[in-house]
Amino acid sequence: QSVLTQPPSASGTPGQRVTISCSGSSSNIGSNYVYWYQQLPGTAPKLLIYRNNQRPSGVPDRFSGSKSGTSASLAISGLRSEDEADYYCAAWDDSLSGSWVFGGGTKLTVL
Amino acid sequence: QVQLQESGPGLVKPSETLSLTCTVSGGSISSYYWSWIRQPAGKGLEWIGRIYTSGSTNYNPSLKSRVTMSVDTSKNQFSLKLSSVTAADTAVYYCARVTTVTSIWGQGTLVTVSS
């Protein structure tokens, strides 16, 4: 059971816009930045979005992040076949002495 | 650019201690938090904990009683020890440098717990 809640799957056709949600609480998303990772099969996760809505250099502007209250979303526009991957949200959690928490991951399928 | 590489036994017996080392190259280990994250096959990511180069640590509350992390700045390495392992600890273990604006991960190493 992950601290952050994501839908297990999402899908879309090439060119479509897809959104993936991430729900948390006041101790994590509600008071800290949200991060999004993309994981291709057999590889380490890659940072896609940092500080809620910022893209690292090299990440296409088709990827965007947003946050409201204790929830966050990742949007992918102009869906491409190479976007098929697992996506994870993450945030620092202030409970106890603090820890990073992840969502359970969303498997994105490009139909 | 900074690169991370995990190393350690790929097979550990139940009840024994899992030990992994992460070697940092292309930059200094100083003045950063260094994390361990694991991923069982077909499952999601689980943060194990992090250590600052001063030795200060934060651990996942669910693993805290079994985890010890250390750092060796002279070797540009940091390490993970997980005691009393069971089959549930079988996973790919990643080391990573996570800041508020960047995230650099190693390629990961599979550790299997089995007799």
Side-chain angles (χ1 to χ4, degrees):
Chain A
Q1 185 98 2
S2 301
V3 174
L4 304 181
T5 302
Q6 297 180 236
S9 63
S11 63
T13 56
Q16 267 191 332
R17 183 176 186 270
V18 171
T19 61
I20 297 171
S21 62
C22 176
S23 177
S25 67
S26 58
S27 64
N28 42 66
I29 293 179
S31 53
N32 294 295
Y33 291 123
V34 177
Y35 299 77
W36 289 93
Y37 289 87
Q38 178 192 59
Q39 187 177 33
L40 300 170
T43 69
K46 167 192 168 185
L47 184 64
L48 210 56
I49 297 289
Y50 67 95
R51 289 187 176 180
N52 302 334
N53 55 19
Q54 302 299 303
R55 285 185 308 277
S57 173
V59 173
D61 60 7
R62 301 186 296 106
F63 295 90
S64 62
S66 63
K67 170 185 151 178
S68 179
T70 58
S71 294
S73 291
L74 173 71
I76 309 171
S77 60
L79 199 61
R80 304 176 67 162
S81 57
E82 57 260 41
D83 298 332
E84 187 161 293
D86 294 322
Y87 292 84
Y88 294 90
C89 58
W92 182 257
D93 191 299
D94 294 326
S95 300
L96 301 176
S97 58
S99 63
W100 281 102
V101 291
F102 287 97
T106 298
K107 169 65 178 175
L108 174 63
T109 301
V110 181
L111 302 169
Chain B
Q1 69 278 21
V2 174
Q3 293 184 309
L4 285 67
Q5 179 67 57
E6 306 87 352
S7 60
L11 181 64
V12 182
K13 289 182 168 56
S15 80
E16 295 191 343
T17 296
L18 176 159
S19 295
L20 294 174
T21 295
C22 183
T23 300
V24 180
S25 60
S28 173
I29 199 172
S30 297
S31 304
Y32 285 103
Y33 281 103
W34 301 93
S35 290
W36 289 96
I37 298 129
R38 69 181 183 178
Q39 184 173 35
K43 296 189 178 181
L45 301 167
E46 180 179 35
W47 183 78
I48 300 170
R50 70 178 186 179
I51 185 166
Y52 193 68
T53 44
S54 64
S56 173
T57 55
N58 298 95
Y59 296 147
N60 184 324
S62 67
L63 298 170
K64 186 174 183 177
S65 63
R66 299 193 291 129
V67 173
T68 303
M69 293 184 183
S70 59
V71 61
D72 187 337
T73 54
S74 67
K75 294 182 178 180
N76 247 29
Q77 294 177 332
F78 61 105
S79 298
L80 166 70
K81 291 188 185 299
L82 181 65
S83 64
S84 305
V85 297
T86 69
D89 295 309
T90 294
V92 173
Y93 285 75
Y94 296 99
C95 58
R97 191 188 84 180
V98 179
T99 72
T100 58
V101 298
T102 63
S103 187
I104 303 171
W105 295 51
Q107 66 185 25
T109 187
L110 174 63
V111 178
T112 302
V113 179
S114 175
S115 55

